[in-house]
Amino acid sequence: MIKTKKLVTSIALVSALSACGQSSVTENESQIGEVNRSTTPNVVIFYIDDLGYGDLGSYGATGVETPEIDRIANNGIRFTDGHSSAATCTPSRYSLLTGEHGFRNNAKILKGDAPALIQPGKPTLASMFKKAGYTTGVVGKWHLGLGNGNVDWNADIKPGPLEIGFDYSFLLPATGDRVPTVYVENHNIVNLDKNDPITVSYKGKIGNMPTGYENPELLRVVADKQHNETIVNGVSRIGHMSGGKAAHWVDEDFAQVFSDKAIDFIRENQNKPFFLFKSYHDIHVPRLPNDRFKDKSTMGVRGQAIAQMDWMTGRIIKEIEKLGLAENTLIIFTSDNGPVLFDGYFDSAVELLGEHKPGGPFSGGKYSRLEAGTRVPTIAYWPGTIKPQVNDALVSQMDIYKSLAKLIGVEVSENEAVDSLEQLSVWLGETDQGRVDLLEESLGNVALRHNNYKFIAKSKNKPNFIKSKGIRGGYQSFDQLYDLSTDPGENKNIAKQNPDLVKQLKARTKEIVAGRY
Ligand code: NG6
Ligand code: CA
């Protein structure tokens, strides 16, 4: 149900599109009302890493405050049923940028030297924006691969974002816990000294940088054995690396560095339409927030990383306001997958959790097929255009592609963004009628949301990730069916009592996997 603070009055969305001459809007529709919003608003997507449904104040957080994000949640649409396409990062990011499920291109969690998953020629959200004349940028975590499989980190690193529709990129190439631990701006590593070339290996030790397994006494945070290789900034990572000393990042500087870069991009492009994909490292491991957030949470570094993320978001929004762009900028805020507490580093996230519920009322989390794996905070904010409301529609990040294409009047071809549904009126808060069906992907398995039902077919494989304390995975050798309207925590399996519905949902799952909608 939509609970609006002000009543939605005139729905005057379509006529604006016909002005561009590219929209699929019929003449009839275009007569509905007068133009009352821009057809080329700036668009900023804040994409948080591992932020759970319950991790924001406006979604019930108790261990940390998030005033900056709550402000846009309370003055925009706070979706209660918004989803990433997957319960891990790479497939979710792939889906956001291409409008198709990650499993269509075998999108799995990538190593730090993996080749570009989205190859040049593939239409993306960024290339879609470019068709309407936008300037496009990505700042922050990438984790979609770079290069063609054998990257020379000392030369031009491509293909990458610039080859698939972005005009500017400033990246953390994979994750904070994977080498290379350097920034890549456009095609090159930032601050790389040519006399100290950098080499990366996921096959074994190279060079003479210390590792967690050889020199544990050098570590600031103890890690498990997957995260116990090259040490940078006192923290061991996944993978080996040598050289490039001047280019190594300092994790504690991320908040400043990445928000500065985002702000620079916005300032430089303030006089023309821009699309910014602002992708965060927070609150992924290793969690090394800046010291200035040390008093901001009762939950230790995981909470401090949330406070840091809130600060960064607020900084960027305030800049948009200062430049007078707020009423001409659509902001979407969401996360790539659900929450995780222990994810490789013994940073006390489990021990200091207290009463805070990272997944809100839902079960599971990152890596899980239960709701908290993909149901994440989802906010759309556009002052003057979007009416403040809580909206319970089922929405997917994959639909941003076709919905925004409609908003800016770009035609999408038949083979483009095949899993994306045009849902512009939901994303603008004009209706609460969202999707009926949505696949939730995790580690090679899928689950199906059908209205308020959740169907989890018996698992082909049981990923070994689901060891994290207290997190259920939903990977069982029998079918599961839950009615989320009465059982949001997915505790009461009603599959046996509903054989016909199970059969129907099994068939629907297969159809969607096969690309039939
Ligand atoms: C996993 C890592 C985990 C995290 C994740 C990626 C192990 C055991 N676990 O492989 O720590 O890095 O990959 O997270 O290595 S994601 O949010 O980018 O998908
Ligand atoms: Ca993630």
Side-chain angles (χ1 to χ4, degrees):
M1 194 184 52
I2 317 184
K3 289 149 249 168
T4 46
K5 292 191 181 145
K6 280 186 241 157
L7 270 184
V8 179
T9 45
S10 81
I11 299 179
L13 58 123
V14 270
S15 53
L17 294 172
S18 52
C20 322
Q22 282 175 307
S23 84
S24 56
V25 174
T26 65
E27 251 177 50
N28 232 0
E29 284 170 315
S30 69
Q31 287 161 8
I32 291 174
E34 75 286 1
V35 180
N36 69 348
R37 63 172 164 78
S38 166
T39 53
T40 50
N42 307 309
V43 175
V44 177
I45 298 182
F46 291 114
Y47 208 50
I48 318 305
D49 202 353
D50 297 358
L51 185 77
Y53 188 89
D55 279 330
L56 297 176
S58 38
Y59 282 81
T62 55
V64 61
E65 289 177 1
T66 53
E68 304 290 350
I69 301 159
D70 297 345
R71 182 161 71 90
I72 60 166
N74 294 331
N75 292 289
I77 311 173
R78 184 171 74 77
F79 286 106
T80 63
D81 205 357
H83 291 256
S84 56
S85 82
T88 56
C89 160
T90 301
S92 289
R93 279 154 210 268
Y94 179 82
S95 296
L96 174 70
L97 291 185
T98 64
E100 68 178 44
H101 281 295
F103 57 75
R104 303 216 186 281
N105 193 19
N106 200 21
K108 296 189 173 132
I109 299 173
L110 297 179
K111 291 180 180 161
D113 62 351
L117 187 62
I118 307 175
Q119 283 289 311
K122 176 97 183 162
T124 65
L125 195 55
S127 63
M128 187 279 285
F129 272 105
K130 282 196 72 66
K131 282 191 187 160
Y134 279 62
T135 303
T136 56
V138 49
V139 173
K141 174 175 169 176
W142 184 240
H143 209 188
L144 284 165
L146 292 167
N148 271 333
N150 195 9
V151 196
D152 178 355
W153 296 96
N154 306 288
D156 274 1
I157 301 163
K158 58 185 185 188
L162 301 198
E163 284 66 41
I164 56 167
F166 286 99
D167 295 310
Y168 173 73
S169 66
F170 185 91
L171 307 179
L172 183 161
T175 61
D177 58 348
R178 283 173 177 76
V179 299
T181 56
V182 294
Y183 303 116
V184 175
E185 186 166 32
N186 296 323
H187 288 136
N188 299 105
I189 289 181
V190 178
N191 278 338
L192 183 66
D193 174 356
K194 294 278 177 220
N195 299 316
D196 180 23
I198 185 165
T199 319
V200 171
S201 167
Y202 277 77
K203 296 202 176 97
K205 173 136 186 179
I206 41 166
N208 53 15
M209 287 178 69
T211 61
Y213 55 85
E214 293 164 312
N215 293 94
E217 75 284 358
L218 298 178
L219 294 175
R220 293 192 285 150
V221 197
V222 177
D224 68 9
K225 75 174 194 311
Q226 279 84 9
H227 296 78
N228 216 5
E229 294 169 337
T230 297
I231 299 176
V232 182
N233 190 23
V235 180
S236 51
R237 322 273 168 163
I238 307 175
H240 290 91
M241 182 173 93
S242 79
K245 193 161 192 311
H248 296 174
W249 70 45
V250 174
D251 309 68
E252 287 81 351
D253 295 344
F254 281 168
Q256 190 73 38
V257 170
F258 288 122
S259 49
D260 280 352
K261 290 292 171 188
I263 286 170
D264 288 350
F265 176 83
I266 292 170
R267 280 191 191 147
E268 275 159 30
N269 295 293
Q270 59 179 292
N271 295 321
K272 46 192 178 182
F274 61 80
F275 163 56
L276 173 62
F277 176 36
K278 175 68 196 74
S279 169
Y280 290 59
H281 161 70
D282 286 317
I283 56 174
H284 198 282
V285 297
R287 302 177 183 117
L288 300 161
N290 192 276
D291 249 11
R292 76 167 87 163
F293 302 100
K294 68 173 181 298
D295 300 325
K296 295 285 185 200
S297 172
T298 53
M299 301 191 289
V301 289
R302 185 171 180 279
Q304 292 163 29
I306 295 174
Q308 168 167 289
M309 180 279 295
D310 186 64
W311 174 83
M312 292 170 76
T313 310
R315 238 194 118 201
I316 298 167
I317 295 171
K318 282 176 202 148
E319 184 67 23
I320 291 171
E321 288 166 351
K322 208 168 83 197
L323 295 171
L325 301 177
E327 302 222 329
N328 193 31
T329 303
L330 167 63
I331 291 176
I332 294 175
F333 175 101
T334 190
S335 171
D336 68 343
N337 52 251
V340 61
L341 298 176
F342 178 79
D343 207 14
Y345 295 89
F346 295 89
D347 62 5
S348 301
V350 177
E351 294 77 1
L352 295 174
L353 186 65
E355 294 302 302
H356 179 88
K357 303 243 171 325
F362 307 109
S363 291
K366 184 175 181 176
Y367 311 119
S368 164
R369 279 194 296 173
L370 298 170
E371 275 298 279
T374 62
R375 199 191 288 217
V376 288
T378 305
I379 299 163
Y381 174 73
W382 186 357
T385 296
I386 285 179
K387 307 278 189 299
Q389 64 192 266
V390 177
N391 191 313
D392 297 335
L394 176 60
V395 292
S396 166
Q397 291 167 13
M398 280 186 304
D399 301 339
I400 290 172
Y401 196 121
K402 280 193 186 151
S403 303
L404 297 192
K406 175 152 187 194
L407 173 71
I408 63 172
V410 172
E411 220 165 305
V412 176
S413 66
E414 207 185 313
N415 298 326
E416 183 178 351
V418 294
D419 297 299
S420 184
L421 304 184
E422 187 275 294
Q423 301 260 302
L424 181 61
S425 55
V426 190
W427 285 93
L428 294 180
E430 291 156 349
T431 172
D432 61 355
Q433 299 304 304
R435 275 178 171 255
V436 173
D437 292 312
L438 175 64
L439 284 186
E440 300 174 4
E441 177 184 359
S442 178
L443 303 170
N445 293 287
V446 292
L448 177 71
R449 272 291 302 279
H450 176 75
N451 293 320
N452 262 320
Y453 285 110
K454 174 74 171 282
F455 172 64
I456 308 178
K458 65 177 170 224
S459 304
K460 289 181 283 189
N461 56 351
K462 186 170 181 175
N464 59 7
F465 282 89
I466 313 299
K467 290 179 200 144
S468 196
K469 301 162 184 80
I471 291 199
R472 282 163 61 206
Y475 302 92
Q476 311 289 355
S477 53
F478 46 82
D479 291 334
Q480 298 168 72
L481 178 68
Y482 300 101
D483 179 355
L484 299 175
S485 62
T486 53
D487 179 24
E490 291 163 281
N491 293 310
K492 194 168 170 271
N493 183 5
I494 54 168
K496 281 212 177 100
Q497 295 93 302
N498 296 279
D500 291 347
L501 185 55
V502 165
K503 206 168 146 204
Q504 189 193 322
L505 298 183
K506 203 175 269 182
R508 190 73 189 116
T509 302
K510 279 198 182 136
E511 272 174 5
I512 300 177
V513 168
R516 291 196 303 274
Y517 281 87

